Amino acid sequence: MTENKEAMKTRSSRKTYFLVYMMIFILITTVAIIKISGKELDQFAFKAVLVFSAALIIFTEIHRFRNFYEINHHSLIHSKGIFVKKTKRVDLLSVSDADSKQNPWQRLFDYGDVSVNLYSGGNAVPVKNINNPEKFVDFLEEKMGEKRTEEGGGGMKR
């Protein structure tokens, strides 16, 4: 999660894929133990493990990079996609509140989901599997407060 005083940017956490990475580690460790112990290992099985592991890592990174979230001074932005980008921009004045949700596994690894609710009662903006969801909510609420103060305190500043 990248943060400065003006904006916070984040993507889905790698912690979401912990079990996938654990499976890759176990596969590679098993192959290494078989190789070190001097037992025969079919070349097809060896290559299959390497290709499967590489494909899983590439798939998880593509999946992770599909979603990008940013809170800036004016809005919450959700960009989705890699080659074809779909961007949803929500003005901070239209956000009523935000809720974070973490199951026990997510609490253990400190990642989770945030639901950003709108005054219009329209679809909430889901922010999925990000690191430190409570910090994200706190930053969002801080920016919402700044925006409301700016708007309520004598008109719009430019």
Side-chain angles (χ1 to χ4, degrees):
M1 197 173 325
T2 307
E3 175 184 358
N4 62 34
K5 201 66 173 156
E6 293 300 316
M8 175 184 280
K9 301 174 183 179
T10 190
R11 293 191 182 278
S12 295
S13 174
R14 282 190 177 93
K15 297 171 189 175
T16 306
Y17 307 103
F18 175 77
L19 294 176
V20 173
Y21 293 135
M22 183 61 76
M23 181 179 62
I24 293 168
F25 176 75
I26 290 169
L27 275 172
I28 292 175
T29 303
T30 303
V31 167
I33 290 171
I34 291 171
K35 284 283 198 185
I36 291 171
S37 68
K39 294 182 181 176
E40 282 293 316
L41 179 66
D42 183 44
Q43 282 300 317
F44 176 75
F46 178 72
K47 289 177 183 176
V49 166
L50 290 180
V51 168
F52 182 71
S53 299
L56 278 178
I57 290 170
I58 291 168
F59 172 76
T60 58
E61 286 302 306
I62 287 172
H63 191 263
R64 195 175 87 75
F65 272 88
R66 278 187 14 210
N67 290 297
F68 175 76
Y69 306 98
E70 177 182 354
I71 302 169
N72 60 37
H73 187 66
H74 304 288
S75 57
L76 167 66
I77 302 166
H78 176 202
S79 295
K80 188 174 189 174
I82 294 177
F83 299 114
V84 177
K85 289 265 188 201
K86 179 181 176 185
T87 302
K88 181 174 185 173
R89 185 179 302 263
V90 178
D91 189 274
L92 292 179
L93 290 175
S94 66
V95 174
S96 63
D97 63 350
D99 306 312
S100 66
K101 181 180 176 188
Q102 294 176 292
N103 63 36
W105 180 262
Q106 291 171 325
R107 285 181 54 124
L108 179 67
F109 289 103
D110 194 25
Y111 74 96
D113 301 335
V114 173
S115 179
V116 179
N117 303 305
L118 307 176
Y119 280 116
S120 67
N123 294 339
V125 178
V127 180
K128 298 281 192 181
N129 297 318
I130 60 168
N131 286 323
N132 247 335
E134 291 174 0
K135 186 176 179 183
F136 186 88
V137 170
D138 291 344
F139 190 84
L140 177 63
E141 289 176 347
E142 176 185 323
K143 288 297 178 187
M144 288 166 49
E146 289 175 11
K147 183 77 169 173
R148 286 190 176 94
T149 301
E150 177 181 299
E151 292 295 316
M156 288 181 57
K157 292 183 182 178
R158 295 194 189 248

